[in-house]
Amino acid sequence: MTTSVIAKGIVPRISRGVGGRSRVALAVGGTLILAWAVIALFWPHLAPYDPVHQDPLHRFAPPGPGHWLGTDQFGRDTLSRMLAGARPVLQVAPLATALGTLAGTVVGLVAGTFGGLVDEVVMRVLDAIVVFPTIIAAVLFVALSGRSVTAVVLVIAASFTTIVARSVRAATLVEREKAYVEAARLRGERSWSLMLREILPNVTTTVLVEATSRFGDAIFAAATLSFLGLGQPPGSPEWGASVSDNRTWLQIAPWTVLAPALAIASLVVATALVADALRSRWEAP
């Protein structure tokens, strides 16, 4: 009796604590993402200087009045470049995430719904794609098609397709064994109808959580490809390219690397907070 009373008192407090943390994480992450989205749209009105303007007389100026985050080896304002660098990142990441999530959802639904030989073939193809390193695929694709935003988007989307497909397939396998799917089968619904009308609406939360998680990965992947010279061209204010351009001067002008690196980190962490909050809310018992 005593144990039951204690348990009844503790469980609601734990639930409220978990729910409270999820709401805080969602608020903090969502605010950061929204802030960077606003910056990406309106950076020409927010940046104090032209991000590509060179001022050799003020090379490596430390942070202070006039240049709040200092300048780089060409005298370019670091703050202006960090603000301008949000736009190319937020042009690539959402599109790559959307394409990868859409393709992965279709593949996962088909494999999970039809099962049998279809599932076996799909999974073997996904296994073959997974073992091929993304960076090598990016190098080959860029070498064949040339450096472009489209190439970066397609490479990132392809790498996400396998991840999303596996998650959606797993959720589909669970859903197709439930009573409502069996009832639809008994009504005579075909497999495509079962997949689109019955199963898809019930795996939507899995798809949304995957999309949010992959969005953070896409930000990091886009920056990584630009750092390696496979994305934005040298001299671009894009964050990965900025880190690459200034890494040689890290010891004498650390602000030139820390500013874009922290920008990447803040946006990746923000998406992770949102993804974890959504997962906690939707997957809670």
Side-chain angles (χ1 to χ4, degrees), residues 219-250:
I219 293 166
F220 191 77
T224 300
L225 293 176
S226 292
F227 178 84
L228 295 174
L230 303 175
Q232 297 292 326
S236 168
E238 197 271 345
W239 296 333
S242 292
V243 172
S244 179
D245 289 345
N246 294 290
R247 68 186 189 278
T248 306
W249 315 103
L250 179 60

Side-chain angles (χ1 to χ4, degrees), residues 89-164:
V89 170
L90 290 178
Q91 285 176 332
V92 170
L95 185 55
T97 301
L99 288 176
T101 302
L102 177 61
T105 299
V106 172
V107 172
L109 276 172
V110 170
T113 301
F114 287 87
L117 181 61
V118 173
D119 186 29
E120 186 68 21
V121 171
V122 169
M123 294 310 297
R124 296 296 75 77
V125 172
L126 293 181
D127 290 341
I129 295 174
V130 166
V131 300
F132 198 74
T134 302
I135 296 299
I136 295 178
V139 172
L140 292 175
F141 194 81
V142 171
L144 293 173
S145 64
R147 178 163 40 194
S148 67
V149 173
T150 301
V152 173
V153 168
L154 291 177
V155 167
I156 296 174
S159 69
F160 290 167
T161 298
T162 58
I163 302 172
V164 176

Side-chain angles (χ1 to χ4, degrees), residues 255-278:
W255 55 86
T256 60
V257 175
L258 289 177
L262 290 175
I264 296 169
S266 68
L267 196 47
V268 171
V269 169
T271 57
L273 288 174
V274 172
D276 287 344
L278 294 179

